[in-house]
Amino acid sequence: MRPLFLLLVLIPLLSACAERWARPGTSEAEADAMNEACGAEAQMAVPPQMVWQQVAPARIERERNCWRDGDRERCRTTERFRPARYDMVDIATRAREAYRTTCMREKGFTFQGYRPLRLE
């Protein structure tokens, strides 16, 4: 459950860096700079709205340990209750991304998909 949650949190962060926008006569570096400028404009136009929200539900984790006892197999199951987790969450993220996307389209760019992340 935890890896899935982390993946869902990281995808928007990674995808913003890996988007590919194109406009005839514009280089990739210029498109990236414009995407950055539209992102900054969106940050000013749609400020964060932080709310206290549940980020992981309460659950019971079960762990089963088995061992050999002579010719028999014995198992013990232990259960742990994990309470729900809460955290501050920005509920304006989608509106901000929509603003940035609209900004790019208004400047004549078209979304081309995602490129592999370059770690430079």
Side-chain angles (χ1 to χ4, degrees):
M1 179 82 165
R2 187 175 193 132
L4 178 63
F5 175 73
L6 290 174
L7 183 64
L8 292 175
V9 169
L10 289 177
I11 285 177
L13 296 174
L14 293 175
S15 64
C17 298
E19 287 183 355
R20 187 182 348 215
W21 291 86
R23 179 174 70 182
T26 305
S27 71
E28 188 176 317
E30 291 170 327
D32 288 345
M34 189 58 65
N35 191 17
E36 185 89 20
C38 282
E41 186 179 322
Q43 187 70 30
M44 296 298 289
V46 185
Q49 289 181 303
M50 304 305 283
V51 296
W52 187 251
Q53 199 173 65
Q54 182 177 342
V55 294
R59 65 191 187 282
I60 295 176
E61 291 179 352
R62 291 179 178 86
E63 184 177 332
R64 186 171 186 215
N65 294 316
C66 297
W67 66 93
R68 284 271 200 221
D69 185 16
D71 59 342
R72 293 182 55 182
E73 182 179 50
R74 296 189 183 265
C75 295
R76 178 181 303 151
T77 302
T78 56
E79 294 182 346
R80 282 194 191 119
F81 175 75
R82 299 290 185 189
R85 285 194 357 246
Y86 293 83
D87 203 353
M88 296 300 288
V89 176
D90 183 6
I91 60 171
T93 302
R94 281 192 179 167
R96 193 174 310 108
E97 286 301 308
Y99 188 98
R100 183 185 56 80
T101 301
T102 301
C103 172
M104 289 297 285
R105 288 197 174 119
E106 286 175 352
K107 295 186 185 311
F109 287 90
T110 56
F111 180 70
Q112 300 292 310
Y114 298 97
R115 65 174 176 255
L117 212 61
R118 287 185 290 238
L119 303 174
E120 298 173 3

